[in-house]
Amino acid sequence: MRPETLKTRIFLDGGNPDETEQILGLLGFLDGQTTNPTLISKNPEARKRFDSGEKFSKEEILDFYRNVVTKISTLIPKGSISIEVYAVPTTTAPEMLKQGREMFSWIPNAHVKFPTATEGLKAATVAVKEGLRVNMTLCFTQEQAAAVYAATRGAKKGDIFVSPFIGRLDDKGENGMDVIARIIEMYRKGDGHVEVLTASVRKIDHLLCALKAGSDIVTAPFEVLKAWGEKGLPVPGPDYVYDSKGLKEVPYREIDLSKDWQQYDISHDLTVAGMERFSKDWDSLIK
Ligand code: E4P
């Protein structure tokens, strides 16, 4: 059962509908799910096929992805399910848009994930005008989040998510949780049309800190949600202090949200590396 004091929506981060079922059973609720090419490549059925030496054609892997999200959508019909476009750093906006439109038609509750890079943002500006719901992924900085805000201005609340990846920042020695807090603070000056989805969660403390920070949504892998459920779904109170374990502080930056999205510096090496990793994992499944 959802704790009364829980304001944040809880998503599962995964590509296996069996996990969705288990987490629903354990928590008694689930507000949505995020998927990505790497998570789909880890799906047990995909692994089985891969291990037997049988790979997918490009059409088959998309059908497989569609089946997976359709199952998840049936399990969480009122939630949001994020589906990610295939993008290497050179993929153009029209290419991403074409995939995004197709993916959005798969299920009634999709958010389409585009990378927070120039072509991804270009695709998002058009997608939003066409009424697609989008989740801007691979976000690592406050400035990238400002660009997401600007590129999607006019969209209605609930239709746009931005996904800052905290675990991957931690891996580089930077305090990913700071980026969540900074973006939330910056967005307080805006109109609230972009929701912050804390992603790349690696441990229960990431989840608790995101709840304390007031993240709109947190997506967490099976093991983290399981651990949270087994602890009785704690929601941190005013006394909770996050231990960043010596990670480098990411300071707040004064950023004007009223500029055009092209005016922000959105470059980040982890965004590029993230696209490369997702596409590599996806490609590994294809003949
Ligand atoms: C969710 O939308 C992200 O794709 C996911 O949280 C990434 O997590 P990772 O950094 O552990 O791969």
Side-chain angles (χ1 to χ4, degrees), residues 140-143 166 169-170 173-183 185 244 247-253 268:
F140 295 93
T141 66
Q142 209 190 309
E143 194 147 355
I166 56 174
L169 282 167
D170 282 10
E174 292 175 37
N175 185 5
M177 287 314 312
D178 276 346
V179 175
I180 299 296
R182 307 301 173 241
I183 295 171
E185 187 178 346
S244 75
L247 291 168
K248 197 169 141 231
E249 190 194 336
V250 181
Y252 182 74
R253 293 185 48 209
H268 202 284

Side-chain angles (χ1 to χ4, degrees), residues 103-118:
M103 289 167 161
F104 192 72
S105 75
W106 286 352
I107 50 173
N109 49 346
H111 271 75
V112 174
K113 284 169 103 177
F114 294 114
T116 310
T118 304

Side-chain angles (χ1 to χ4, degrees), residues 156 196-197 201 210 242 283:
K156 87 171 187 294
V196 178
L197 191 164
V201 163
Y242 175 69
D283 289 341

